[in-house]
Amino acid sequence: MPKELMPIIDKPLIQYAVEEALAVDIETLIFVTSASKHAIFDHFDPMPSLKLRFEQQGRQDLLDKVDILSPEIKTVFIPQGEPLGLGHAVLQAQSLIAQDEMFAVLLADDFIEAPNNPLMALLECAQSTGQTCLSVEQVSPERISSYGIVSPKHWHRGQAEIEAIVEKPRREEAPSDFGVIGRYVLPARIFDVLSHTQADAKGEIQLTDAIKTLLHREGVHAVKLSGQRFDCGHHEGFVMANLHVAMKDPQLRQKVREYFSAAV
């Protein structure tokens, strides 16, 4: 089962990411993933027979859950082949994006609960600067070596130009505690950079390396995440995300409280 289809209560992670993109009027969704993850394609299949059955049963609640994408939304599924890094995955979309366009990258592993759509602040930053904008948050010291870490200049209304970006530094060598999370808005110019980016020791093309090149050429901006993020690529984050959503539902909240009261 693809991890992107792991559910937060009753909705898979990938669907939360798609809904986040649709909410800021993104009209083309490009899924770059392993060819073996055909279940992701199946999840977004229109399923007309199932929709008809729910309509006949008067089950609008179920109809809303399968009626995910309107006909106006274009979806493209690209098999990456080998998992050769995030930069390589992004590069697969080059032929679908015009040279003067900017595009968003969302990693479904990062489940985000926020009062405002986290993509909106990134898009506003990108539109005003015309440059790469990264979503960042402060990470705990023991997790610094798991992130790309940025060195912001001066924060102003949650945004800052960055002086440096370092991929997975050791804790004592990190330029700050602001880590890049799975939301980016990038200019199409990055494709040329990626196509000339050397693979690392693992044979992977890192998006961070291409961003570093753009940083030296034209500048890159960081935007503080306003909300709560759960790294669902790890057991702890996945469990906490489910508990977080469960506690927002009155019935589930009561059941969770009863369970923990009994367990204690």
Side-chain angles (χ1 to χ4, degrees):
M1 179 180 180
K3 62 182 179 180
E4 295 89 350
L5 287 179
M6 294 291 285
I8 303 300
I9 304 300
D10 61 354
K11 187 189 299 185
L13 283 164
I14 190 72
Q15 187 170 332
Y16 282 100
V18 163
E19 291 175 356
E20 185 180 319
L22 296 179
V24 295
D25 298 325
I26 287 175
E27 297 176 346
T28 301
L29 302 172
I30 304 170
F31 298 84
V32 182
T33 186
S34 166
S36 64
K37 295 183 178 182
H38 55 82
I40 295 176
F41 175 84
D42 294 340
H43 176 72
F44 291 103
D45 183 85
M47 296 180 285
S49 59
L50 186 61
K51 289 168 66 175
L52 178 60
R53 189 196 321 171
F54 289 156
E55 287 174 358
Q56 293 171 340
Q57 295 174 346
R59 292 299 306 273
Q60 187 62 44
D61 58 327
L62 296 179
L63 188 59
D64 291 341
K65 290 184 179 181
V66 297
D67 197 12
I68 303 168
L69 302 177
S70 69
E72 293 77 25
I73 301 301
K74 180 180 179 181
T75 57
V76 183
F77 291 83
I78 302 176
Q80 185 182 4
E82 295 183 77
L84 298 177
L86 179 56
H88 180 266
V90 170
L91 194 54
Q92 305 313 297
Q94 181 174 9
S95 63
L96 299 168
I97 297 171
Q99 292 183 355
D100 60 346
E101 281 188 312
M102 302 194 81
F103 63 99
V105 175
L106 295 85
L107 305 185
D109 286 6
D110 281 344
F111 174 73
I112 296 173
E113 275 278 300
N116 300 306
N117 190 312
L119 270 185
M120 183 58 71
L122 279 180
L123 289 171
E124 290 173 350
C125 176
Q127 288 168 354
S128 65
T129 64
Q131 297 174 347
T132 297
C133 293
L134 317 173
S135 186
V136 302
E137 71 170 2
Q138 289 179 285
V139 297
S140 59
E142 64 273 12
R143 297 284 294 153
I144 281 178
S145 61
S146 299
Y147 289 84
I149 301 296
V150 303
S151 175
K153 292 182 180 178
H154 303 289
W155 291 108
H156 178 66
R157 296 183 178 178
Q159 299 182 15
E161 190 171 0
I162 66 173
E163 296 178 309
I165 180 169
V166 184
E167 179 68 12
K168 299 179 179 179
R170 290 192 297 179
R171 176 175 170 180
E172 61 273 16
E173 297 175 348
S176 77
D177 60 353
F178 282 99
V180 180
I181 63 172
R183 300 292 186 274
Y184 310 74
V185 173
L186 306 167
R189 296 185 296 278
I190 201 166
F191 290 124
D192 181 62
V193 178
L194 283 168
S195 65
H196 293 90
T197 297
Q198 293 289 325
D200 63 12
K202 296 180 180 179
E204 297 182 347
I205 297 175
Q206 297 297 341
L207 182 59
T208 299
D209 290 337
I211 291 173
K212 190 182 301 183
T213 299
L214 282 184
L215 169 63
H216 295 308
R217 287 185 184 177
E218 60 185 58
V220 172
H221 294 259
V223 178
K224 285 183 186 178
L225 175 67
S226 177
Q228 192 165 4
R229 165 186 163 271
F230 300 88
D231 182 358
C232 292
H234 298 271
H235 289 155
E236 178 184 343
F238 179 71
V239 171
M240 297 306 291
N242 273 279
L243 284 173
H244 178 81
V245 175
M247 293 300 285
K248 289 188 155 192
D249 181 282
Q251 292 183 332
L252 288 176
R253 180 169 61 243
Q254 182 61 30
K255 292 296 182 182
V256 170
R257 285 175 172 168
E258 290 174 0
Y259 173 79
F260 280 113
S261 295
V264 172

